[in-house]
Amino acid sequence: MKQILFKNTNISYSDTGKGAAIVLLHGFLENKTMWEFYIPELAKKNRVIAIDLLGHGETECLGYVQTMEENADAVHQVLSALRIRKAIFVGHSMGGYVALAFAELYPEKLKGLVLLNSTAKGDSEERKINRDRAIKAVKQSFINFVSLSITNLFSEDNRERLSSQIESVKIKALKTPLQGIVASLEGMKIRKDREVLLHLTPYPKMLILGKKDPVLNYPETKEQIENTEVKLVTFPDGHMSHIENQEELLRVLLLFFKRI
Protein backbone atom coordinates (compact mmCIF):
# COMPACT_ATOMS: atom_id res chain seq x y z
CA MET A 1 0.00 0.00 0.00
CA LYS A 2 1.27 3.46 -0.93
CA GLN A 3 -0.06 6.84 0.13
CA ILE A 4 0.18 10.50 -0.83
CA LEU A 5 -1.27 13.57 0.81
CA PHE A 6 -4.05 15.55 -0.88
CA LYS A 7 -5.61 18.49 1.01
CA ASN A 8 -4.30 17.00 4.29
CA THR A 9 -6.04 13.72 3.42
CA ASN A 10 -4.21 10.42 2.89
CA ILE A 11 -4.93 8.91 -0.53
CA SER A 12 -4.13 5.20 -0.80
CA TYR A 13 -3.10 3.50 -4.05
CA SER A 14 -1.20 0.57 -5.52
CA ASP A 15 1.34 0.75 -8.36
CA THR A 16 2.14 -2.48 -10.22
CA GLY A 17 4.09 -3.34 -13.36
CA LYS A 18 5.79 -1.32 -16.09
CA GLY A 19 4.69 0.11 -19.41
CA ALA A 20 1.75 2.25 -20.52
CA ALA A 21 -0.21 3.51 -17.50
CA ILE A 22 -3.69 2.18 -16.71
CA VAL A 23 -5.66 3.82 -13.89
CA LEU A 24 -8.36 1.70 -12.21
CA LEU A 25 -11.12 3.50 -10.28
CA HIS A 26 -13.58 1.51 -8.16
CA GLY A 27 -17.27 2.19 -7.58
CA PHE A 28 -19.37 3.31 -4.61
CA LEU A 29 -18.93 1.05 -1.52
CA GLU A 30 -15.96 -0.62 -3.22
CA ASN A 31 -12.20 -0.04 -2.99
CA LYS A 32 -9.06 -0.82 -4.95
CA THR A 33 -9.20 -4.51 -3.93
CA MET A 34 -12.07 -5.00 -6.43
CA TRP A 35 -9.34 -5.17 -9.13
CA GLU A 36 -7.31 -7.97 -7.48
CA PHE A 37 -8.15 -10.50 -10.20
CA TYR A 38 -7.26 -8.08 -13.01
CA ILE A 39 -4.08 -6.38 -11.84
CA PRO A 40 -1.66 -9.36 -12.26
CA GLU A 41 -2.84 -9.90 -15.85
CA LEU A 42 -2.94 -6.23 -16.83
CA ALA A 43 0.45 -5.56 -15.19
CA LYS A 44 2.22 -8.09 -17.42
CA LYS A 45 2.56 -5.39 -20.09
CA ASN A 46 1.34 -2.22 -18.36
CA ARG A 47 1.84 -0.07 -15.29
CA VAL A 48 -1.39 -0.41 -13.31
CA ILE A 49 -2.42 2.19 -10.73
CA ALA A 50 -5.45 1.35 -8.55
CA ILE A 51 -6.64 4.16 -6.30
CA ASP A 52 -8.95 4.24 -3.27
CA LEU A 53 -11.34 7.15 -3.86
CA LEU A 54 -12.23 9.62 -1.09
CA GLY A 55 -13.80 8.00 1.97
CA HIS A 56 -13.32 4.47 0.59
CA GLY A 57 -10.83 1.69 1.32
CA GLU A 58 -7.72 3.10 2.99
CA THR A 59 -8.27 6.66 1.76
CA GLU A 60 -9.56 9.09 4.34
CA CYS A 61 -12.70 11.21 4.10
CA LEU A 62 -12.23 14.76 2.84
CA GLY A 63 -15.49 16.38 3.93
CA TYR A 64 -19.25 15.96 4.12
CA VAL A 65 -19.73 16.32 0.36
CA GLN A 66 -17.10 14.62 -1.79
CA THR A 67 -17.55 15.81 -5.37
CA MET A 68 -16.45 13.91 -8.44
CA GLU A 69 -14.13 16.86 -9.20
CA GLU A 70 -12.41 16.55 -5.81
CA ASN A 71 -11.94 12.83 -6.43
CA ALA A 72 -10.51 13.65 -9.87
CA ASP A 73 -8.09 16.14 -8.30
CA ALA A 74 -6.99 13.47 -5.80
CA VAL A 75 -6.37 11.05 -8.70
CA HIS A 76 -4.40 13.79 -10.48
CA GLN A 77 -2.27 14.26 -7.37
CA VAL A 78 -1.38 10.54 -7.40
CA LEU A 79 -0.46 10.60 -11.11
CA SER A 80 1.62 13.77 -10.65
CA ALA A 81 3.52 12.18 -7.76
CA LEU A 82 4.20 9.14 -9.97
CA ARG A 83 5.16 11.38 -12.93
CA ILE A 84 2.58 9.78 -15.18
CA ARG A 85 1.77 12.11 -18.06
CA LYS A 86 -0.92 10.08 -19.83
CA ALA A 87 -3.04 7.09 -18.87
CA ILE A 88 -5.95 4.90 -19.92
CA PHE A 89 -8.73 5.15 -17.35
CA VAL A 90 -11.12 2.37 -16.34
CA GLY A 91 -13.91 3.49 -14.00
CA HIS A 92 -16.52 1.20 -12.48
CA SER A 93 -19.85 2.91 -11.68
CA MET A 94 -18.93 5.92 -9.46
CA GLY A 95 -15.34 5.43 -10.64
CA GLY A 96 -16.64 6.17 -14.14
CA TYR A 97 -18.10 9.48 -12.90
CA VAL A 98 -14.70 10.36 -11.44
CA ALA A 99 -12.92 9.34 -14.67
CA LEU A 100 -15.27 11.65 -16.63
CA ALA A 101 -14.63 14.52 -14.21
CA PHE A 102 -10.90 13.89 -14.66
CA ALA A 103 -11.35 13.85 -18.46
CA GLU A 104 -13.02 17.26 -18.30
CA LEU A 105 -10.45 18.79 -15.93
CA TYR A 106 -7.31 17.24 -17.43
CA PRO A 107 -8.13 16.30 -21.06
CA GLU A 108 -4.48 16.13 -22.12
CA LYS A 109 -3.83 13.34 -19.59
CA LEU A 110 -6.18 10.78 -21.16
CA LYS A 111 -5.06 8.15 -23.61
CA GLY A 112 -8.29 6.12 -23.46
CA LEU A 113 -11.43 5.71 -21.36
CA VAL A 114 -13.48 2.69 -20.29
CA LEU A 115 -16.79 3.27 -18.52
CA LEU A 116 -17.65 0.00 -16.78
CA ASN A 117 -21.30 -0.25 -15.67
CA SER A 118 -21.34 3.54 -15.61
CA THR A 119 -22.90 6.51 -17.38
CA ALA A 120 -21.95 10.02 -18.51
CA LYS A 121 -25.45 11.30 -17.69
CA GLY A 122 -26.13 13.30 -14.54
CA ASP A 123 -28.70 12.18 -11.97
CA SER A 124 -32.35 12.59 -12.95
CA GLU A 125 -34.65 14.31 -10.45
CA GLU A 126 -35.98 10.89 -9.43
CA ARG A 127 -32.45 9.58 -8.90
CA LYS A 128 -31.58 12.61 -6.75
CA ILE A 129 -34.59 11.84 -4.53
CA ASN A 130 -33.38 8.24 -4.27
CA ARG A 131 -29.90 9.47 -3.22
CA ASP A 132 -31.53 11.47 -0.38
CA ARG A 133 -33.50 8.37 0.64
CA ALA A 134 -30.27 6.37 0.62
CA ILE A 135 -28.58 8.95 2.88
CA LYS A 136 -31.47 8.69 5.33
CA ALA A 137 -31.45 4.87 5.17
CA VAL A 138 -27.71 4.47 5.80
CA LYS A 139 -27.90 6.82 8.80
CA GLN A 140 -30.79 4.78 10.23
CA SER A 141 -29.40 1.30 9.60
CA PHE A 142 -25.84 1.12 8.30
CA ILE A 143 -25.51 -2.69 8.05
CA ASN A 144 -28.90 -3.20 6.39
CA PHE A 145 -28.27 -0.43 3.88
CA VAL A 146 -24.83 -1.71 2.84
CA SER A 147 -25.93 -5.34 2.72
CA LEU A 148 -29.01 -4.62 0.61
CA SER A 149 -27.16 -2.18 -1.66
CA ILE A 150 -24.51 -4.76 -2.55
CA THR A 151 -27.00 -7.58 -3.20
CA ASN A 152 -29.05 -5.29 -5.45
CA LEU A 153 -26.07 -4.66 -7.74
CA PHE A 154 -26.10 -8.22 -9.03
CA SER A 155 -28.64 -9.57 -11.50
CA GLU A 156 -31.28 -11.71 -9.77
CA ASP A 157 -30.11 -14.80 -11.71
CA ASN A 158 -26.65 -14.55 -10.14
CA ARG A 159 -27.49 -13.88 -6.50
CA GLU A 160 -27.50 -17.55 -5.52
CA ARG A 161 -24.70 -18.66 -7.87
CA LEU A 162 -22.35 -15.93 -6.64
CA SER A 163 -23.47 -15.88 -2.99
CA SER A 164 -19.93 -16.34 -1.58
CA GLN A 165 -18.51 -13.54 -3.79
CA ILE A 166 -21.43 -11.28 -2.80
CA GLU A 167 -20.69 -11.98 0.87
CA SER A 168 -17.05 -11.05 0.33
CA VAL A 169 -18.02 -7.74 -1.36
CA LYS A 170 -20.37 -6.98 1.57
CA ILE A 171 -17.61 -7.55 4.15
CA LYS A 172 -15.34 -5.08 2.32
CA ALA A 173 -18.19 -2.59 1.83
CA LEU A 174 -19.01 -2.61 5.54
CA LYS A 175 -15.55 -1.18 6.22
CA THR A 176 -16.53 2.02 4.36
CA PRO A 177 -17.10 4.76 6.96
CA LEU A 178 -20.55 6.34 7.26
CA GLN A 179 -19.10 9.75 6.40
CA GLY A 180 -17.52 8.33 3.23
CA ILE A 181 -20.84 6.82 2.14
CA VAL A 182 -22.92 9.96 2.79
CA ALA A 183 -20.33 12.33 1.29
CA SER A 184 -20.12 10.18 -1.87
CA LEU A 185 -23.92 10.01 -2.24
CA GLU A 186 -24.03 13.81 -1.92
CA GLY A 187 -21.25 14.13 -4.49
CA MET A 188 -22.88 11.79 -7.01
CA LYS A 189 -26.19 13.60 -6.61
CA ILE A 190 -24.75 16.94 -7.73
CA ARG A 191 -22.41 15.68 -10.45
CA LYS A 192 -22.52 17.27 -13.90
CA ASP A 193 -23.88 15.65 -17.04
CA ARG A 194 -20.81 14.89 -19.15
CA GLU A 195 -22.41 13.15 -22.12
CA VAL A 196 -20.73 15.67 -24.45
CA LEU A 197 -17.34 14.09 -23.64
CA LEU A 198 -18.46 10.85 -25.31
CA HIS A 199 -19.08 12.80 -28.52
CA LEU A 200 -16.22 15.28 -28.67
CA THR A 201 -13.10 13.73 -27.12
CA PRO A 202 -10.46 12.30 -29.50
CA TYR A 203 -9.16 9.25 -27.58
CA PRO A 204 -10.61 5.68 -27.82
CA LYS A 205 -13.60 5.04 -25.54
CA MET A 206 -15.55 1.98 -24.54
CA LEU A 207 -18.83 1.58 -22.63
CA ILE A 208 -19.41 -1.78 -20.93
CA LEU A 209 -22.94 -2.51 -19.73
CA GLY A 210 -24.92 -5.34 -18.17
CA LYS A 211 -28.18 -6.15 -19.94
CA LYS A 212 -29.88 -6.89 -16.59
CA ASP A 213 -28.20 -4.13 -14.59
CA PRO A 214 -30.61 -3.34 -11.71
CA VAL A 215 -29.07 0.14 -11.29
CA LEU A 216 -28.58 1.45 -14.84
CA ASN A 217 -31.40 1.19 -17.36
CA TYR A 218 -29.73 -0.60 -20.29
CA PRO A 219 -31.60 1.01 -23.25
CA GLU A 220 -31.34 4.52 -21.74
CA THR A 221 -27.64 4.19 -20.91
CA LYS A 222 -26.87 2.79 -24.36
CA GLU A 223 -28.65 5.76 -26.00
CA GLN A 224 -25.94 8.22 -24.96
CA ILE A 225 -23.39 6.71 -27.34
CA GLU A 226 -25.59 6.82 -30.46
CA ASN A 227 -23.76 8.60 -33.30
CA THR A 228 -20.43 8.34 -31.49
CA GLU A 229 -17.34 6.20 -32.03
CA VAL A 230 -17.62 4.75 -28.50
CA LYS A 231 -17.34 0.96 -28.58
CA LEU A 232 -20.22 -0.79 -26.81
CA VAL A 233 -19.77 -4.13 -25.03
CA THR A 234 -22.85 -5.77 -23.54
CA PHE A 235 -22.76 -8.56 -20.97
CA PRO A 236 -25.91 -10.55 -20.10
CA ASP A 237 -25.82 -9.85 -16.35
CA GLY A 238 -25.93 -7.06 -13.75
CA HIS A 239 -23.97 -4.06 -12.46
CA MET A 240 -20.98 -6.07 -11.24
CA SER A 241 -19.44 -7.19 -14.55
CA HIS A 242 -15.99 -7.52 -12.91
CA ILE A 243 -17.44 -10.41 -10.86
CA GLU A 244 -20.40 -11.62 -12.91
CA ASN A 245 -18.44 -11.71 -16.19
CA GLN A 246 -14.88 -11.89 -14.91
CA GLU A 247 -13.02 -13.79 -17.65
CA GLU A 248 -14.94 -12.11 -20.49
CA LEU A 249 -14.26 -8.66 -19.06
CA LEU A 250 -10.54 -9.37 -18.79
CA ARG A 251 -10.45 -10.41 -22.47
CA VAL A 252 -12.37 -7.29 -23.54
CA LEU A 253 -10.05 -4.98 -21.57
CA LEU A 254 -6.84 -6.61 -22.85
CA LEU A 255 -8.07 -6.29 -26.43
CA PHE A 256 -9.00 -2.63 -25.94
CA PHE A 257 -5.62 -1.77 -24.38
CA LYS A 258 -3.78 -3.61 -27.15
CA ARG A 259 -5.38 -1.37 -29.79
CA ILE A 260 -4.39 1.91 -28.12
Side-chain angles (χ1 to χ4, degrees):
M1 182 195 75
K2 297 171 183 183
Q3 286 190 333
I4 61 141
L5 210 57
F6 168 73
K7 293 186 178 180
N8 294 320
T9 302
N10 277 315
I11 309 294
S12 177
Y13 67 94
S14 64
D15 179 6
T16 316
K18 288 177 183 175
I22 294 168
V23 175
L24 303 176
L25 302 177
H26 64 79
F28 177 58
L29 296 177
E30 297 170 326
N31 58 61
K32 63 182 178 297
T33 64
M34 73 164 270
W35 305 108
E36 279 172 343
F37 170 78
Y38 297 88
I39 290 172
E41 287 301 317
L42 300 181
K44 283 178 182 175
K45 292 183 178 176
N46 302 282
R47 184 179 184 182
V48 185
I49 319 297
I51 302 170
D52 278 339
L53 297 172
L54 297 171
H56 286 72
E58 291 166 307
T59 288
E60 296 167 350
C61 296
L62 182 62
Y64 293 96
V65 178
Q66 287 167 175
T67 66
M68 300 305 104
E69 291 82 3
E70 282 170 325
N71 273 290
D73 286 339
V75 169
H76 183 255
Q77 188 96 331
V78 173
L79 298 192
S80 297
L82 298 176
R83 296 183 178 177
I84 291 169
R85 286 171 50 217
K86 264 184 182 278
I88 302 167
F89 277 68
V90 182
H92 180 244
S93 198
M94 183 181 79
Y97 310 155
V98 175
L100 286 160
F102 187 98
E104 186 175 87
L105 292 166
Y106 309 101
E108 73 290 349
K109 301 267 182 185
L110 262 87
K111 202 173 162 187
L113 173 64
V114 179
L115 295 179
L116 173 60
N117 312 116
S118 193
T119 177
K121 294 185 180 206
D123 270 2
S124 64
E125 287 310 309
E126 186 190 350
R127 195 104 168 103
K128 285 176 183 174
I129 291 165
N130 286 339
R131 298 268 189 220
D132 287 332
R133 284 187 185 135
I135 289 165
K136 205 173 171 183
V138 73
K139 285 178 178 176
Q140 283 173 346
S141 181
F142 182 85
I143 293 172
N144 279 355
F145 171 81
V146 171
S147 187
L148 202 60
S149 295
I150 296 301
T151 303
N152 288 342
L153 296 174
F154 291 81
S155 74
E156 283 186 39
D157 314 346
N158 284 332
R159 288 175 195 172
E160 200 175 317
R161 180 176 74 86
L162 297 171
S163 58
S164 63
Q165 288 95 320
I166 293 171
E167 206 50 45
S168 170
V169 176
K170 280 181 192 175
I171 290 164
K172 288 176 184 175
L174 285 165
K175 291 176 184 170
T176 316
L178 177 62
Q179 186 186 336
I181 293 175
V182 172
S184 297
L185 285 165
E186 294 283 13
M188 287 190 283
K189 186 176 75 177
I190 58 170
R191 77 183 190 280
K192 283 170 66 176
D193 187 301
R194 292 191 165 92
E195 206 174 325
V196 67
L197 294 179
L198 299 180
H199 292 259
L200 299 181
T201 48
Y203 40 79
K205 294 171 285 292
M206 180 161 68
L207 177 64
I208 302 172
L209 300 175
K211 199 81 181 273
K212 295 177 185 169
D213 190 326
V215 181
L216 292 174
N217 179 285
Y218 176 75
E220 275 177 28
T221 311
K222 193 176 71 158
E223 249 173 44
Q224 67 195 301
I225 60 162
E226 278 177 16
N227 306 314
T228 73
E229 290 180 7
V230 180
K231 181 178 168 54
L232 174 68
V233 174
T234 301
F235 290 130
D237 300 294
H239 193 70
M240 303 292 267
S241 296
H242 62 289
I243 296 171
E244 293 175 277
N245 309 100
Q246 200 175 63
E247 297 287 348
E248 302 95 311
L249 176 60
L250 178 61
R251 275 197 296 274
V252 163
L253 289 175
L254 287 171
L255 200 60
F256 181 74
F257 299 150
K258 202 175 176 182
R259 289 174 178 167
I260 294 179

